[in-house]
Amino acid sequence: MTVHILALETSSSVCGVALLSCSDDAVRVFVQEHDATGEHAERLLPMADGVMREAGIDRAQLSGVAFGQGPGGFTGLRVACGVAQGIAYALGVPVVPIVSLLAVAERDRNRQAQTGAVRVVVQDARMGEVYLGVYQDRVAGTAVQWETLQAPVLLDAADVGPWLSQAWPEWPSTGHRPPVLRLVGDALDAYPDLRLIRLDGIDTEAGDALRADAAAIASLALQAWRDGATLAPDHAMPLYVRDKVAYTTRERESGAGGNPRAEGFPIRIEPMLPEHLDDVAEIESLVQSFPWSRRNFQDGLDAGYTAYVARQAGRTVGFYMAMFAPDVAHVLVIAVAPDQQKKGIGGRLLDHCEQMARSKQLPAIILEVRPSNGNALAFYRHGGYQQLSTRRDYYPAADGRREDACIMQKAL
């Protein structure tokens, strides 16, 4: 089967377009790049036409459109997302969003030919801050699969070393000794002290000041396309991480800065125990109109359901409970404390659940969500879930009524 993927990357000053063609395991990549801040919108489509002409590919032959979704420059992210959506919608093909920090890790792996290293990607976010994400690659047959150890967060550049010192012991290691930890990304040039970070008990090294490029986006998109991790064009969205850049004088005087920042202590995913149930039930009551009770959660533990909590600095900030049947994984309930939402915790919990399902060799994972819960629908679609069907009158609703459930599924 022949696959043609157009990839767009504009998270930095570099505007890049790549056309990846894969046929009978032979992969060709055609790339055009231009470094000019503020010219992404006018250059992106002509560059896309250029790489397709060079490859001899007509637009109608495209299998999908990938884009670097961020984090990065706000305007650049919106341009890439919008253009990808427009092309994909016009051609009736899916969109493949790729985290730009992961593309940096992919570039470093290709340059170093080093498998299994933990790659800490640090990208300059300006104002003394960095975007940070942590990734580890594993070889599965002939394919390379990436595990996200830390979804993108925002940190003060000076806090990267202390944050890593607390976080790295929680990450899985390969073999009989800790893997190499490599720092890569353009923040290494913006904040040279990052190159001096050394952690006790793990080999630490500073790599190159890389940025995401369209070729890496295309490579990751091919694997995502094969895995079915695509979206309908209208479900694609940028990954900003920092929600706000401009602040009023009053906000600055009160200490406002880039947000949401990573907390000083890392998130730990731990098995749910009876002593967590009060916290779990409280979080559930804060986020659901018709919440599970503490007894419901206790019954789930007694029944042997898989359940984990997200803990930070001694506090339970999120949880999930799932049932692993012989043929499918079923997320029964998942929630994050209101004041801790939009910090990547929900993504960490869902990713953990998916990893557990993969370890049991289950082919898919399903869950239910209210059609009226737009934020949850967007969250799951962003994670690669697609609506499978509708379950009528599944949820209780106000005034004794019932609400349907959207059944969503992700192939593993």
Side-chain angles (χ1 to χ4, degrees):
M1 181 179 183
T2 301
V3 178
H4 303 296
I5 295 177
L6 182 68
L8 317 174
E9 165 52 35
T10 58
S11 65
S12 68
S13 63
V14 178
C15 178
V17 178
L19 191 286
L20 181 149
S21 293
C22 177
S23 178
D24 298 325
D25 295 327
V27 177
R28 298 183 302 155
V29 181
F30 304 86
V31 179
Q32 288 192 13
E33 291 184 335
H34 180 77
D35 192 347
T37 301
E39 298 181 11
H40 296 343
E42 63 189 79
R43 292 184 175 271
L44 206 56
L45 283 172
M47 290 169 64
D49 286 337
V51 294
M52 285 191 287
R53 282 196 302 270
E54 183 181 357
I57 299 300
D58 184 77
R59 297 178 187 178
Q61 295 175 268
L62 289 178
S63 307
V65 185
F67 72 99
Q69 67 173 161
F74 283 22
T75 301
L77 299 185
R78 288 196 293 270
V79 168
C81 181
V83 172
Q85 287 176 304
I87 296 174
Y89 183 79
L91 300 178
V93 297
V95 170
V96 189
I98 300 295
V99 175
S100 299
L101 299 189
L102 177 59
V104 176
E106 172 77 359
R107 282 195 68 191
D108 186 66
R109 187 191 67 82
N110 290 335
R111 290 159 63 102
Q112 296 294 318
Q114 184 181 44
T115 299
V118 172
R119 287 177 167 84
V120 178
V121 180
V122 282
Q123 179 177 324
D124 183 14
R126 308 294 177 88
M127 299 188 292
E129 297 172 328
V130 301
Y131 298 118
L132 178 147
V134 186
Y135 308 94
Q136 186 174 28
D137 60 309
R138 305 181 190 277
V139 177
T142 59
V144 174
Q145 299 210 341
W146 285 96
E147 180 179 359
T148 300
L149 305 182
Q150 173 61 59
V153 293
L154 188 68
L155 281 172
D156 280 330
D159 291 340
V160 171
W163 189 90
L164 287 174
S165 295
Q166 297 177 66
W168 85 259
E170 300 301 314
W171 299 331
S173 61
T174 57
H176 300 290
R177 59 189 300 274
V180 173
L181 187 147
R182 282 178 56 80
L183 280 85
V184 295
D186 65 1
L188 295 178
D189 279 354
Y191 308 102
D193 285 351
L194 295 176
R195 295 183 177 275
L196 305 178
I197 291 175
R198 295 295 182 269
L199 304 181
D200 293 336
I202 185 171
D203 294 337
T204 311
E205 60 189 34
D208 297 324
L210 303 176
R211 293 176 175 177
D213 67 7
I217 296 293
S219 176
L220 292 167
L222 176 61
Q223 186 61 46
W225 189 89
R226 288 170 170 167
D227 292 341
T230 61
L231 297 176
D234 56 325
H235 293 161
M237 63 184 68
L239 175 64
Y240 291 123
V241 179
R242 172 189 278 146
D243 295 330
K244 193 173 183 180
V245 174
Y247 288 84
T248 65
T249 300
R250 179 172 296 179
E251 286 174 325
R252 290 190 179 278
E253 289 175 349
S254 66
N259 65 311
R261 293 174 181 269
E263 300 292 339
F265 293 90
I267 300 294
R268 304 174 188 270
I269 308 298
E270 304 173 358
M272 186 185 295
L273 301 174
E275 52 262 37
H276 298 140
L277 293 184
D278 287 341
D279 293 340
V280 166
E282 181 180 3
I283 293 172
E284 173 77 352
S285 70
L286 293 173
V287 300
Q288 297 292 351
S289 301
F290 296 86
W292 279 29
S293 68
R294 187 186 189 284
R295 182 64 193 180
N296 292 146
F297 287 107
Q298 182 64 66
D299 289 344
L301 292 181
D302 293 342
Y305 294 154
T306 298
Y308 281 81
V309 294
R311 301 270 294 170
Q312 184 180 62
R315 177 192 172 195
T316 300
V317 294
F319 64 87
Y320 79 82
M321 182 171 283
M323 178 177 66
F324 294 132
D327 58 342
V328 71
H330 186 177
V331 181
L332 302 174
V333 60
I334 181 170
V336 175
D339 65 330
Q340 296 299 309
Q341 293 177 3
K342 296 186 178 181
K343 296 183 179 182
I345 298 172
R348 284 280 304 277
L349 286 164
L350 197 57
D351 183 67
H352 186 275
C353 186
E354 292 169 7
Q355 294 294 336
M356 293 287 290
R358 288 189 180 96
S359 71
K360 299 178 183 295
Q361 299 184 326
L362 295 176
I365 186 167
I366 63 170
L367 51 83
E368 296 89 10
V369 61
R370 292 177 184 264
S372 59
N373 193 342
N375 289 337
L377 285 169
F379 169 72
Y380 294 126
R381 286 167 179 159
H382 178 72
Y385 288 76
Q386 298 180 337
Q387 185 166 346
L388 186 65
S389 61
T390 298
R391 186 168 292 165
R392 298 296 181 187
D393 298 331
Y394 182 75
Y395 289 110
D399 301 323
R401 294 174 297 165
R402 306 290 296 182
E403 183 177 1
D404 295 344
C406 294
I407 310 301
M408 305 191 77
Q409 176 177 284
K410 179 177 181 177
L412 300 178

